Amino acid sequence: MDPSVLTTLKILITGESGVGKSSLLLRFTDDTFDNEQAATIGVDFKVKLINIDGNNVKLAIWDTAGQERFRTLTPSYYRNAQGAILVYDVCSRQSFSRLDAWFDELETYATNTNIVKMLIGNKIDKERREVSREEGLKFAKKHSMLFIEASAKTKDGVQMAFEELVQKIIQTPGLWEVDASSQRGMSLSDRTEGGQPWSCSGYCSLV
Amino acid sequence: MTDDIPSPCDLLVIGTGLTESIVASAASRIGKQVVHVDHRDFYGSNWATFSFNNLHNVLGVNKGLTECIEETKKETYSIHIGLNSNTVLNVVEKWFISDEDVEATIDNQLRIEETNNGILKQTWTKSEVLKHSRKFNFDLSPKLLYSKGEMVEVLISSGICRYAEFKNVSSIYTYDNVESGLLPVPCSRADIFNSKDITMIEKRLLMKILSMCVEYETKPEKFQEDEMGNFGNFLDAHKIQGKVRKYLIDSVAMAKESTNFQDAVKNIQKFVRSIGRYGNTPFLWTLYGSGELPQCFCRCSAVFGGVYCLKRSTRSIIIGSDGQATGIMCDNQNLKAKFILIEDSLNPLATIKSGISRAILVTNKALTSNDQAVLINLPSLNGKEPVRILELSASTMACPQGLYVVHLITRQVTTAIEDLREVIDTFFSAVESNENEALHKPQIIWSLHFNINEYESYADMLPLNLYSSPGPNSSMDFDNHVIQARNIFKSMFPDEDFLPRVPDPEDVILEGSAEEVVLQESLENQEVHNVHE
Amino acid sequence: MHGRLKVRTTAEQQEIKAKERAKKLVMYKTAMNLIFSKRKSGELDDEILKMTGQVLTENPDISTLWNIRKETILKTKETMPDRVDDYVSNELALTEQCIRVNPKSYNSWFHRSWILDQVSIVDFKNEFLLCDKCLELDERNFHCWDYRRIIVQKSKTSLENELEFSTNKIKKNFSNYSSWHYRSELLPRIYPSSSDQSILDDQKLAEECNLIQNAIFTDPNDQSAWFYQRWLLFNSDEKSLKNSSLLSTLNNELESCQQLHDLEPDNKWVKLQVCELLRRINGLGNETEILQLIQQLIKVDPLRQGYYTYLGSKIVEENQKKKISESS
């Protein structure tokens, strides 16, 4: 691991289909935007290094992989996340009223009890707004969430949203420190193969 | 929004159990359009892991469902999909603690009492346990991963391991009926060296048998006589008796005396090769329960375009005039597909083969020192089937601190209650008492008994493009299911790779992004691989 | 096309890597030039420490750079004695990082032990922790074993503590010659023998014999166990064995070795050890048996035929001498 990176944080994005979750993600990580962005295929999570208060932090931002379309996110999606972003479309009342259900699911499955939550009202560039800023703010306050209105299309608020979220996570004790993660299990990969090779602690020696 | 399930698709999968999910992810991974449906409101079908509340809901749901009436169409006929099948039956739930202790539960905190001998003791009430509902993860089908087994290999080679975390099983025990106690099974070479339970000669014999079995394929001439007989004959021939025989049969080979030699040797090889990769025993346990694994594969499928719909009643399979399956009726939509995969327990053409007797206990104390997961292999006694006990501590995320979740698994003979009664009585106490026994045995706080049916389907009875996949069986690991999933995939898509590695997120870039423009300057003629069209 | 996903091809990944490598090379060359010109002009300052540090983390085996650091530290000691501690902790951090990059870097380990001599107070707990970590990664890393000996000495850690350390290492993996060797250095100092016959105190010798027998029976092909057993048993003056406690120990060992020989008739190590035991116990009386075993050894291990033949002739010669001295 790069020693200059303080930690890796898992951030996830949820909310109704079509509110622009992937657009926000891709605007932040790749600085691109596509009006015709189809349903998200092939994006598991995106990685981005950012510097917050002099600390290099690696973000792994997880997308829903389209599983929210039929409201069938896997509970395991929520495991071990330090931050969660709930997105609604300011031009869609329906996407706002579904927030309660998404919030409940988050509360049910998130394993970090002090996970930092942020509400983003997306698509403020569009006309015919259906949800006022005050309403968003009220929802966020009620559930102790950070709140920001943004537009993935015009870049407004996107960078700031992620930065604020990460800042809050770093300020939350016990959420990201190495100690907290060592309580968890181990990951499988060729690299983390622990212990000794089979020839040493297995049964048979090499003669 | 809810009605745009793609139709026709390449593969339609019914049931989100492990085998189905592996095939779904493998097909999505090579670009096939997959639709994956389940009538249940949770992932994993008979492999699922539940919290306390969810368990109650599911078992409630499982009882009173009525069957749907099949629809027929002019040019096709349809098979009724046996959904809502009662795969889980004989469910008996029991509490061993009082509903509410009126005195001391003002804020429903668990109380910690100082007992006479100064040991901290926690007392739980029913409402306290239920209040922690979400901290419990109960597996319908708890299974372990061999560290060098098929499941671990496919998780690593595909990259799907990124969705799950694991704990090592910290020790394995067998039961010594002579001394009526648990006997630790020496797993590694170091364990054998350090063991105080067996003599030096026994150490040599144990090591010799293990080394021989590992070299089975390379030195077949050594085994010519053994191959004919069962595992017991083989051990007789090498004069293996006593504890070493117990270790080998119950735990290392996970077999019986009567198991045929080749099967036992395969298990021994897997056991030995798995040691030392991640820890001192060959086994891994999935954090949050075995029900995570089907979800991992579903997530992978979704990332590559798989469409997921739970709570979809799947009413019938439509068979075309050519005898091939053309699709299914799902709610009121006719979903067409080139291939259909259905889990055995939903397949009307599958029959019940046998069953598994299960019990889940919540206890207040570990059977033996256990801060992770412990496996206990009980030998078959008086002709009974061997019983396996898996005890999970809070560090595996199976339950809150201070409690233990104990899974008991055996082949069904009568009912779960009857099949497991003797074992539970031997190891656990149903009442909290001041008798000596209660000091040694863990007390049961809550128990659940049930049976799970094992199904069997015959490929030659099904249309060629309709596949049926096995549900959980009584074996302790996943490997057979991984192999079967691979076989199903290979039969559908013979020339395609099975679960090639997913790209690293760092290597997935958007065409047209700032980073990509720079790259394109120097790599104009490079082949560009599109993940989707 | 815009907005489509694609996966970087291997060629693209290599391209990225090649660019990084080229960049590194340029940086390395510039840094080295600067370092040498600064040294020439005697500018042994913070900047030269920074520059050498950067290069060393990438490549810890450039001794010249470590020497420049030593010069700089020594100069600091003279000019700014109150700041030495800061510089030292800096060196500890750097060497630790270098050891992480290459745990077998001679220079990093040497520099670290040199640094310990430059301060009055050392946090030895930290040093032992580093050793533990490195031995966890590679239990045969002799650089680390050597370093451990140095810090044991410097910190005046008790020998018993080190014996326990070696016991734990052996419990984890007994096929580790380094741990057994470490043990053989410690035991005679903690449990010296009361006679000149054996190498250890009688009770401890019995315990060690039992420990090594367990290793030998678990894996009779493990060379380190046999070597340790030889060290335990064959370390004394052979003439004075009669009626000694060592003789009874040797007889016990012979008995268990013969048991093992029955179980593992083709194992050369067991045969050889039985030979040696018979020779020590009563070379003359056991001559026939010994020579038979040597013939068997030549069969099972033909590669070492020459050695076994020599051994046989040596034993015969020994016996001749004994016969002569007995008859005279």
Side-chain angles (χ1 to χ4, degrees):
Chain A
M1 203 180 105
D2 186 348
S4 65
V5 175
L6 179 67
T7 185
T8 303
L9 301 177
K10 176 174 174 179
I11 309 236
L12 44 89
I13 310 185
T14 69
E16 285 292 282
S17 240
V19 296
K21 294 184 294 296
S22 303
S23 300
L24 284 170
L25 168 61
L26 296 174
R27 171 57 83 195
F28 176 64
T29 56
D30 296 58
D31 199 17
T32 57
F33 181 80
D34 187 350
N35 253 331
E36 306 294 308
Q37 183 82 52
T40 335
I41 295 177
V43 177
D44 193 358
F45 59 95
K46 300 283 292 178
V47 179
K48 187 163 169 104
L49 264 178
I50 63 167
N51 188 292
I52 298 287
D53 305 336
N55 300 310
N56 281 327
V57 178
K58 197 173 178 181
L59 303 182
I61 311 164
W62 291 59
D63 201 3
T64 54
Q67 280 184 311
E68 85 289 6
R69 275 170 81 199
F70 303 96
R71 298 190 190 97
T72 42
L73 280 176
T74 53
S76 66
Y77 175 65
Y78 291 94
R79 304 253 189 253
N80 301 323
Q82 284 96 350
I85 297 173
L86 250 73
V87 187
Y88 67 96
D89 175 355
V90 296
C91 302
S92 157
R93 169 61 57 185
Q94 194 254 349
S95 76
F96 185 74
S97 45
R98 284 278 306 157
L99 282 179
D100 279 313
W102 288 113
F103 186 82
D104 284 347
E105 192 168 307
L106 178 63
E107 288 282 277
T108 307
Y109 295 118
T111 49
N112 283 317
T113 44
N114 46 3
I115 181 172
V116 177
K117 286 159 274 194
M118 169 171 261
L119 181 65
I120 299 185
N122 191 26
K123 305 195 186 177
I124 50 169
D125 56 283
K126 280 170 93 179
E127 288 163 18
R128 264 183 287 165
R129 182 193 265 265
E130 290 182 9
V131 184
S132 72
R133 190 185 149 76
E134 286 66 36
E135 282 176 282
L137 196 59
K138 204 177 140 200
F139 183 94
K141 268 192 178 157
K142 185 176 154 201
H143 297 288
S144 319
M145 302 170 84
L146 302 167
F147 175 66
I148 201 164
E149 286 195 334
S151 162
K153 188 174 182 181
T154 64
K155 303 191 191 186
D156 277 324
V158 178
Q159 182 78 15
M160 205 207 279
F162 282 93
E163 281 176 5
E164 261 190 48
L165 182 73
V166 173
Q167 201 155 32
K168 184 79 186 292
I169 293 171
I170 291 182
Q171 287 162 1
T172 308
L175 188 52
W176 57 271
E177 284 94 339
V178 185
D179 278 359
S181 61
S182 69
Q183 296 295 311
R184 290 162 30 190
M186 55 184 154
S187 315
L188 306 183
S189 75
D190 300 326
R191 276 161 297 164
T192 57
E193 236 171 83
Q196 298 132 349
W198 176 68
S199 58
C200 281
S201 58
Y203 279 108
C204 301
S205 68
L206 298 171
V207 184
Chain B
M1 205 77 230
T2 46
D3 283 320
D4 57 352
I5 300 177
S7 173
C9 65
D10 296 311
L11 171 63
L12 197 127
V13 184
I14 305 156
T16 50
L18 182 72
T19 323
E20 301 85 69
S21 303
I22 297 175
V23 177
S25 64
S28 300
R29 187 64 191 85
I30 56 161
K32 303 292 172 192
Q33 177 63 64
V34 173
V35 173
H36 201 165
V37 296
D38 200 318
H39 67 275
R40 307 163 179 98
D41 66 348
F42 55 87
Y43 281 92
S45 73
N46 298 322
W47 304 77
T49 301
F50 299 109
S51 70
F52 238 117
N53 293 340
N54 288 345
L55 188 69
H56 283 144
N57 294 342
V58 170
L59 295 178
V61 163
N62 251 335
K63 280 168 196 164
L65 277 183
T66 49
E67 300 205 331
C68 301
I69 301 156
E70 59 197 79
E71 281 179 23
T72 39
K73 287 195 175 178
K74 272 181 193 167
E75 73 277 32
T76 60
Y77 68 97
S78 60
I79 307 171
H80 174 74
I81 297 180
L83 92 133
N84 310 329
S85 70
N86 277 325
T87 310
V88 177
L89 26 104
N90 302 333
V91 181
V92 179
E93 187 193 18
K94 233 173 140 181
W95 284 93
F96 294 82
I97 49 172
S98 63
D99 188 17
E100 192 73 59
D101 198 330
V102 192
E103 260 177 66
T105 47
I106 303 151
D107 56 356
N108 261 350
Q109 290 289 316
L110 59 119
R111 290 158 296 138
I112 295 169
E113 292 172 2
E114 199 92 17
T115 57
N116 304 342
N117 43 11
I119 299 164
L120 282 178
K121 200 182 103 185
Q122 297 178 338
T123 315
W124 292 77
T125 64
K126 188 172 166 182
S127 59
E128 283 162 357
V129 171
L130 286 175
K131 194 173 164 255
H132 288 87
S133 162
R134 264 192 260 141
K135 287 212 167 154
F136 287 92
N137 282 303
F138 296 125
D139 285 51
L140 282 185
S141 307
K143 298 222 182 286
L144 301 169
L145 298 85
Y146 277 101
S147 299
K148 269 248 162 78
E150 297 281 344
M151 182 56 111
V152 167
E153 293 305 325
V154 80
L155 285 171
I156 292 176
S157 66
S158 65
I160 292 173
C161 57
R162 66 166 66 138
Y163 303 129
E165 289 179 318
F166 302 87
K167 285 262 176 184
N168 214 84
V169 170
S170 44
S171 34
I172 301 177
Y173 293 84
T174 181
Y175 188 72
D176 185 350
N177 17 6
V178 182
E179 287 163 36
S180 327
L182 292 176
L183 186 67
V185 176
C187 290
S188 63
R189 193 166 166 267
D191 282 354
I192 294 176
F193 167 63
N194 293 316
S195 171
K196 300 263 185 278
D197 296 319
I198 50 173
T199 65
M200 285 192 292
I201 304 240
E202 287 178 309
K203 290 183 182 189
R204 179 82 296 268
L205 290 173
L206 176 56
M207 285 292 291
K208 197 172 170 175
I209 292 292
L210 294 169
S211 312
M212 275 177 80
C213 291
V214 168
E215 290 169 354
Y216 173 49
E217 277 88 6
T218 54
K219 295 180 181 165
E221 69 280 359
K222 274 194 186 175
F223 297 91
Q224 272 162 10
E225 286 165 29
D226 304 315
E227 279 171 356
M228 310 302 291
N230 63 33
F231 190 50
N233 304 144
F234 168 73
L235 295 179
D236 288 340
H238 290 89
K239 301 191 180 65
I240 305 294
Q241 294 303 330
K243 287 172 181 164
V244 172
R245 192 179 182 101
K246 221 172 227 326
Y247 298 154
L248 284 167
I249 293 180
D250 303 333
S251 291
V252 183
M254 292 254 191
K256 292 192 278 190
E257 295 269 347
S258 57
T259 305
N260 82 53
F261 174 74
Q262 270 104 338
D263 289 347
V265 167
K266 283 225 172 72
N267 279 355
I268 290 179
Q269 291 181 340
K270 213 148 58 167
F271 188 100
V272 172
R273 284 173 187 154
S274 293
I275 283 168
R277 186 175 197 183
Y278 298 109
N280 207 37
T281 76
F283 296 116
L284 296 173
W285 171 255
T286 317
L287 223 61
Y288 300 102
S290 309
E292 292 289 292
L293 290 173
Q295 290 182 40
C296 295
F297 288 97
C298 290
R299 161 92 190 172
C300 173
S301 174
V303 166
F304 289 92
V307 173
Y308 278 80
C309 311
L310 302 185
K311 290 184 275 186
R312 282 306 166 104
S313 65
T314 38
R315 311 179 77 172
S316 52
I317 299 173
I318 301 155
I319 310 290
S321 42
D322 58 351
Q324 296 296 295
T326 61
I328 63 163
M329 285 304 293
C330 179
D331 286 347
N332 289 317
Q333 214 181 337
N334 179 354
L335 298 178
K336 294 198 160 124
K338 281 187 204 135
F339 290 104
I340 296 175
L341 172 65
I342 184 166
E343 65 173 66
D344 274 348
S345 69
L346 299 178
N347 184 352
L349 295 176
T351 50
I352 295 174
K353 180 173 77 173
S354 55
I356 304 160
S357 280
R358 290 269 294 110
I360 306 176
L361 314 177
V362 173
T363 66
N364 64 350
K365 199 166 92 180
L367 279 166
T368 165
S369 75
N370 175 11
D371 56 3
Q372 299 201 64
V374 162
L375 174 67
I376 300 167
N377 296 304
L378 301 177
S380 50
L381 285 178
N382 319 323
K384 285 193 176 161
E385 288 290 325
V387 176
R388 311 216 182 273
I389 302 179
L390 184 67
E391 185 186 68
L392 304 170
S393 75
S395 76
T396 67
M397 306 294 174
C399 55
Q401 248 346 299
L403 294 179
Y404 294 84
V405 169
V406 182
H407 290 285
L408 293 100
I409 306 135
T410 191
R411 273 198 178 283
Q412 180 177 0
V413 180
T414 55
T415 64
I417 293 235
E418 291 306 319
D419 292 343
L420 294 169
R421 187 193 302 280
E422 196 183 330
V423 170
I424 291 180
D425 288 348
T426 310
F427 288 98
F428 303 94
S429 154
V431 282
E432 189 185 18
S433 70
N434 292 324
E435 286 166 37
N436 269 346
E437 187 184 72
L439 285 176
H440 296 295
K441 287 183 179 177
Q443 188 210 338
I444 307 171
I445 285 174
W446 170 89
S447 76
L448 183 78
H449 285 79
F450 55 93
N451 290 100
I452 299 185
N453 284 336
E454 260 188 81
Y455 295 83
E456 183 167 45
S457 59
Y458 299 96
D460 51 4
M461 288 173 62
L462 302 175
L464 282 173
N465 64 340
L466 176 64
Y467 292 81
S468 191
S469 50
N473 58 11
S474 62
S475 99
M476 273 315 283
D477 65 288
F478 295 104
D479 290 358
N480 272 329
H481 291 88
V482 174
I483 293 168
Q484 298 196 48
R486 188 192 292 127
N487 291 343
I488 291 171
F489 172 83
K490 282 284 174 193
S491 148
M492 290 175 182
F493 311 107
D495 301 323
E496 299 279 2
D497 275 352
F498 178 70
L499 286 170
R501 189 179 204 88
V502 295
D504 258 349
E506 277 95 343
D507 290 325
V508 178
I509 43 176
L510 276 177
E511 290 187 59
S513 69
E515 193 186 3
E516 214 256 338
V517 172
V518 179
L519 255 175
Q520 279 300 316
E521 286 167 15
S522 56
L523 287 158
E524 292 222 329
N525 298 322
Q526 291 293 337
E527 190 189 336
V528 173
H529 171 62
N530 284 326
V531 171
H532 77 293
E533 291 146 22
Chain C
M1 286 296 291
H2 193 79
R4 280 190 185 175
L5 289 166
K6 62 163 221 162
V7 179
R8 278 192 188 124
T9 59
T10 326
E12 286 169 338
Q13 286 171 7
Q14 277 169 355
E15 174 96 354
I16 292 168
K17 273 188 196 147
K19 273 186 184 165
E20 278 168 9
R21 263 200 304 274
K23 220 166 106 189
K24 267 188 189 167
L25 189 67
V26 173
M27 275 165 63
Y28 170 79
K29 280 185 178 156
T30 336
M32 287 301 264
N33 285 336
L34 196 73
I35 290 164
F36 287 124
S37 76
K38 276 178 82 84
R39 189 197 187 192
K40 231 178 199 172
S41 53
E43 293 172 61
L44 297 173
D45 53 10
D46 286 1
E47 195 191 21
I48 204 166
L49 285 179
K50 198 178 157 203
M51 310 276 327
T52 51
Q54 275 166 0
V55 178
L56 285 169
T57 355
E58 295 285 329
N59 182 357
D61 283 315
I62 310 173
S63 350
T64 322
L65 296 188
W66 290 112
N67 286 332
I68 294 175
R69 293 185 81 85
K70 276 182 192 152
E71 283 171 19
T72 315
I73 301 287
L74 288 173
K75 189 186 152 200
T76 314
K77 231 176 155 178
E78 272 170 35
T79 52
M80 300 178 283
D82 51 322
R83 287 198 53 204
V84 168
D85 283 355
D86 293 344
Y87 281 89
V88 163
S89 68
N90 205 5
E91 294 307 289
L92 291 178
L94 177 70
T95 47
E96 182 168 344
Q97 209 177 341
C98 290
I99 287 165
R100 255 191 232 170
V101 175
N102 177 11
K104 297 198 171 170
S105 151
Y106 279 92
N107 287 298
S108 311
W109 288 106
F110 283 156
H111 190 72
R112 196 173 178 92
S113 70
W114 180 83
I115 276 296
L116 296 187
D117 290 332
Q118 305 308 311
V119 273
S120 44
I121 303 161
V122 181
D123 177 8
F124 283 108
K125 217 173 126 194
N126 199 31
E127 298 308 300
F128 279 109
L129 221 68
L130 177 75
C131 280
D132 289 350
K133 260 192 238 162
C134 285
L135 289 180
E136 198 79 33
L137 288 173
D138 174 9
E139 48 195 16
R140 286 165 224 211
N141 184 342
F142 69 88
H143 305 269
C144 188
W145 281 104
D146 284 345
Y147 187 72
R148 191 175 176 100
R149 285 185 191 98
I150 293 171
I151 56 172
V152 164
Q153 218 166 27
K154 282 186 179 156
S155 64
K156 304 197 170 57
T157 302
S158 75
L159 298 175
E160 284 80 3
N161 184 72
E162 290 307 287
L163 184 65
E164 197 188 321
F165 173 78
S166 126
T167 309
N168 288 336
K169 279 268 152 222
I170 287 165
K171 274 186 178 168
K172 269 185 120 172
N173 177 15
F174 64 85
S175 299
N176 180 355
Y177 192 69
S178 307
S179 313
W180 290 113
H181 176 67
Y182 197 45
R183 200 173 181 78
S184 72
E185 283 180 342
L186 295 164
L187 280 168
R189 292 162 69 189
I190 310 174
Y191 302 98
S193 169
S194 48
S195 69
D196 58 353
Q197 287 169 339
S198 53
I199 191 150
L200 296 179
D201 154 277
D202 282 352
Q203 198 200 329
K204 197 67 200 172
L205 181 65
E207 279 174 37
E208 290 299 299
C209 282
N210 182 275
L211 183 70
I212 202 67
Q213 272 188 15
N214 271 290
I216 286 169
F217 272 76
T218 307
D219 187 354
N221 285 313
D222 185 66
Q223 210 171 329
S224 50
W226 290 112
F227 282 176
Y228 186 72
Q229 195 186 41
R230 255 184 234 178
W231 173 81
L232 274 178
L233 299 175
F234 307 150
N235 215 312
S236 62
D237 189 355
E238 288 162 37
K239 286 167 196 162
S240 50
L241 270 181
K242 266 178 200 156
N243 298 326
S244 69
S245 61
L246 183 64
L247 184 63
S248 74
T249 308
L250 290 181
N251 274 313
N252 282 340
E253 294 301 298
L254 177 64
E255 197 184 323
S256 73
C257 261
Q258 274 165 338
Q259 265 183 335
L260 183 60
H261 189 223
D262 292 343
L263 290 169
E264 298 290 325
D266 294 332
N267 185 296
K268 63 168 180 173
W269 299 102
V270 192
K271 281 191 203 298
L272 190 59
Q273 203 77 335
V274 172
C275 255
E276 291 289 357
L277 282 162
L278 288 171
R279 176 184 172 192
R280 309 287 153 138
I281 292 166
N282 182 1
L284 193 54
N286 294 322
E287 189 175 296
T288 335
E289 202 179 333
I290 292 175
L291 293 178
Q292 268 173 4
L293 280 165
I294 284 179
Q295 285 312 308
Q296 291 173 18
L297 274 167
I298 291 171
K299 242 183 231 162
V300 297
D301 187 19
L303 278 176
R304 282 167 201 80
Q305 183 178 8
Y307 169 71
Y308 298 129
T309 315
Y310 162 77
L311 186 68
S313 63
K314 204 180 155 204
I315 290 171
V316 171
E317 188 191 310
E318 247 173 43
N319 289 344
Q320 292 293 343
K321 276 186 197 158
K322 270 186 208 160
K323 270 186 216 159
I324 293 163
S325 71
E326 270 170 27
S327 60
S328 65

